[in-house]
Amino acid sequence: MIHTALRRAGSAIGRALYRPDLRGLENIPASGPVLLASNHLSFCDSVAIPLAVPRPLRFLAKAEYFDAPGLKGRASRTAFTALGAVPVRRGGGREAVDALDLGLSVLKDGGAFAIYPEGTRSPDGRLYRGRTGVAHLALTSGAPVVPVAVQGTDRVQPIGAKVPRIAPVSLSFGEPLDFSFGYGHMKTGRARRVVTDEVMDAIAALSGQERAAGYNPRSAED
């Protein structure tokens, strides 16, 4: 109840300060599993999206946000828990599998889960190639995918900035994409690539970002 109250208070404060332009919230199902796939421009995307979405939302956040000692660490832990963040250790192999398994468990329980297919924040504002974890979640769970475009958050908190600024922000939520059928004839790897590219095309259509040809290099900050 405390976390729900904090989330509602944060949403009210955020809307009062930034007056975000929110479009397409009606495209988010009120109940049942749904996967939100967003572009990623700033640390504060992980604040803006959960506060805008009208239902509880889970997403991955690096474990360091939960591990910091002292009063600052406790405040960070409380804030991220209220937002719906789930701590995950960054890395490949087992850590990546565990992160996807956690997302699947949320979806199989009928929850809403958010993911950044680019993997980390864009260093230059372009939209990078999506990694196929989003397709694995969509194809395995059968959950619809709602593409999300955030704009302006890179001006609120550019990479490396510690204190957020006041700047216009917009969030657009596209129509749900259904990947629950029509891919059974493809090999697994091919199906995941096709679905991921369709998701990224939908995000690009909402955001208007220039497309980058390759993957986004992972940042130690994110």
Side-chain angles (χ1 to χ4, degrees):
M1 291 181 65
I2 292 175
H3 292 150
T4 300
L6 287 174
R7 179 178 173 276
R8 289 176 178 171
S11 179
I13 293 170
R15 293 187 187 215
L17 284 176
Y18 291 95
R19 300 188 180 278
D21 180 15
L22 304 177
R23 303 179 185 183
L25 285 174
E26 69 277 5
N27 289 321
I28 302 172
S31 61
V34 62
L35 181 60
L36 274 64
S38 177
N39 63 333
H40 197 12
L41 299 175
S42 168
F43 164 84
C44 64
D45 296 340
S46 295
V47 177
I49 295 172
L51 293 182
V53 172
R55 58 180 287 190
L57 180 68
R58 310 302 298 276
F59 64 95
L60 303 176
K62 64 180 184 180
E64 287 82 354
Y65 293 141
F66 294 80
D67 295 344
L71 186 59
K72 183 177 179 181
R74 188 180 306 168
S76 175
R77 236 178 352 262
T78 300
F80 273 93
T81 302
L83 288 169
V86 179
V88 63
R89 298 288 174 189
R90 285 291 297 271
R94 187 68 249 173
E95 291 87 353
V97 172
D98 288 345
L100 291 176
D101 284 348
L102 198 152
L104 278 177
S105 70
V106 171
L107 295 170
K108 288 179 178 178
D109 286 341
F113 189 77
I115 189 171
Y116 301 118
E118 293 171 277
T120 188
R121 290 171 284 181
S122 172
D124 53 18
R126 293 186 297 166
L127 184 67
Y128 283 77
R129 195 178 194 208
R131 300 177 189 273
T132 59
V134 63
H136 169 65
L137 293 176
L139 292 169
T140 304
S141 69
V145 179
V146 172
V148 182
V150 295
Q151 296 171 293
T153 53
D154 51 338
R155 293 190 294 273
V156 172
Q157 194 168 7
I159 293 176
K162 300 298 182 184
V163 180
R165 308 163 184 171
I166 302 295
V169 173
S170 69
L171 293 92
S172 300
F173 301 86
E175 294 185 3
L177 305 173
D178 184 1
F179 300 111
S180 61
F181 64 93
Y183 298 88
H185 66 287
M186 295 183 184
K187 291 185 178 180
T188 299
R190 177 60 181 162
R192 290 179 181 176
R193 184 72 263 162
V194 169
V195 167
T196 300
D197 289 345
E198 288 189 40
V199 171
M200 298 311 294
D201 287 344
I203 294 173
L206 289 172
S207 72
Q209 288 169 276
E210 178 185 347
R211 304 289 290 270
Y215 293 108
N216 190 351
R218 294 190 181 276
S219 166
E221 291 185 15
D222 209 22

